[in-house]
Amino acid sequence: MSTRAVTAARSAGTSANLGARALYLGGESKKQVACTQEALVVTNAHRHVWRYPITRLARVVSSTMVDWSGPALSLCMRAGISIAWLNAQGQVIGAAHPQVRAHTSFATALELMVEDPEGLLRYQHWLRARRMNVFTRWAQSQGADQPLAANQLEATKRQWVYASQ
């Protein structure tokens, strides 16, 4: 499938990236990333070559030891694939995002979140925000029928929203 076809399929909302995964280009040795029309081509210091079809990539995480060619960066941007660069300590030092992100399936989005080192923490924050939303609506509905004391509301909030019980 050509890059144009991938881009068209993604913009149409189809699941062209079904089974897409994150590509991690880390390690201590130098690597180079070039491309063909349909794949990223990664070469390591020993001249071993790997090809990664662009349709199978959801995002790329790269170390600073990786040299990227302009065409490879452009291919990722056209295909809607974000690239993040990490330093030796594993901290993000920069990222490149396409103007229009690719449409991903819910399953792929969950996989990417689980693979992210901070994914579980972000999920826990999201759950707490949802519980707070439900609590707020519940508290408002209780005010009309039988008003609750402020300390009772706070105790319920601590127990349900923050302690998740």
Side-chain angles (χ1 to χ4, degrees):
M1 182 181 289
S2 73
T3 305
R4 280 193 195 127
V6 171
T7 305
R10 286 183 175 171
S11 65
T14 63
S15 57
N17 63 346
L18 190 63
R21 294 196 165 298
L23 171 62
Y24 294 93
L25 299 174
E28 299 288 324
S29 64
K30 287 282 241 183
K31 292 181 180 73
Q32 293 180 333
V33 179
C35 69
T36 64
Q37 288 186 347
E38 299 176 354
L40 291 180
V41 180
V42 179
T43 308
N44 70 5
H46 302 293
R47 295 288 181 211
H48 295 123
V49 177
W50 292 272
R51 286 179 174 72
Y52 298 97
I54 202 76
T55 57
R56 299 299 309 255
L57 300 178
R59 67 183 174 118
V60 179
V61 179
S62 175
S63 78
T64 55
M65 297 295 289
V66 178
D67 293 328
W68 283 80
S69 71
L73 291 169
S74 178
L75 177 64
C76 287
M77 295 302 105
R78 285 192 317 270
I81 298 169
S82 295
I83 305 168
W85 285 271
L86 306 179
N87 64 14
Q89 291 74 38
Q91 299 166 329
V92 177
I93 58 171
H97 301 287
Q99 268 189 320
V100 178
R101 293 225 173 140
H103 299 287
T104 59
S105 68
F106 184 67
T108 301
L110 282 176
E111 276 184 23
L112 291 173
M113 184 187 71
V114 169
E115 288 176 354
D116 187 338
E118 295 181 2
L120 183 58
L121 181 62
R122 280 195 270 168
Y123 178 66
Q124 289 169 346
H125 288 311
W126 177 82
L127 280 176
R128 187 178 322 129
R130 296 304 305 150
R131 286 192 304 267
M132 180 61 91
N133 183 281
V134 170
F135 170 78
T136 303
R137 288 188 312 202
W138 173 80
Q140 289 170 348
S141 72
Q142 293 300 309
D145 298 338
Q146 44 189 327
L148 298 172
N151 62 349
Q152 198 175 14
L153 273 176
E154 284 303 311
T156 305
K157 183 193 306 183
R158 276 193 308 275
Q159 180 182 4
W160 199 72
V161 175
Y162 299 113
S164 147
Q165 297 176 352

